[in-house]
Amino acid sequence: MDCTLGIGGKDTETIIKVFQLNDKQLVQMETWIQDLKMSNEGIREQIDNLLEKHPQSNPEEIQSLAQKFKPLRDQMISNSKKCDQKLLGILNENQYRRYISLCEEAARKPLAGISSEEIKTPE
């Protein structure tokens, strides 16, 4: 499994403390958290709408719901992972070593950081 941080989730304060983020890193992370919330807001609305309106009275309908739900969930996970990678890309060497160490302890695969040049490149 990937070693994600979950920026913007319930562990944001823990991330700040564990990696001892400096003021510049904190400002950048907050910007990315807001971007993540905005990008996921539309997806959450689609999920809510799907759950509210999709028939769920038999196994076939539930299976159909699951197939429609999965790409939405996957997009939210991808958005979160990209946010984590952006933060990893601005960690200093000691902070990144700490991340690698924690991933090894958890037996998880570290993510590669996204460099500042990659962040600025439009998708």
Side-chain angles (χ1 to χ4, degrees), residues 55-68:
Q56 301 173 45
S57 60
N58 60 53
E60 293 79 20
E61 290 174 346
I62 293 173
Q63 182 64 32
S64 173
L65 172 66
Q67 290 173 347
K68 292 174 183 174

Side-chain angles (χ1 to χ4, degrees), residues 29-94:
M29 183 179 76
E30 286 300 323
T31 299
W32 292 326
I33 288 171
Q34 291 309 311
D35 292 346
L36 177 64
K37 286 179 180 177
M38 286 176 48
S39 65
N40 283 348
E41 186 176 313
I43 299 170
R44 284 186 210 281
E45 289 173 5
Q46 290 178 54
I47 289 172
D48 290 345
N49 189 40
L50 179 65
L51 293 173
E52 182 181 318
K53 295 182 178 177
H54 197 282
Q56 301 173 45
S57 60
N58 60 53
E60 293 79 20
E61 290 174 346
I62 293 173
Q63 182 64 32
S64 173
L65 172 66
Q67 290 173 347
K68 292 174 183 174
F69 174 81
K70 185 180 182 318
L72 297 171
R73 184 199 64 191
D74 290 348
Q75 184 59 50
M76 289 181 79
I77 291 169
S78 175
N79 290 347
S80 179
K81 184 176 173 181
K82 187 170 186 176
C83 191
D84 288 352
Q85 289 178 291
K86 288 177 181 180
L87 180 63
L88 292 171
I90 64 168
L91 294 182
N92 66 37
E93 188 175 333
N94 289 334

Side-chain angles (χ1 to χ4, degrees), residues 9 12-13 16 21 23 30-31 33 37 42 47 49 54 58-59 91 93 102-103 105 108 114 121:
T12 301
E13 286 301 316
I16 293 167
L21 300 179
D23 289 340
E30 286 300 323
T31 299
I33 288 171
K37 286 179 180 177
I47 289 172
N49 189 40
H54 197 282
N58 60 53
L91 294 182
E93 188 175 333
L102 291 169
C103 291
E105 285 178 33
R108 303 241 173 159
I114 298 175
T121 304

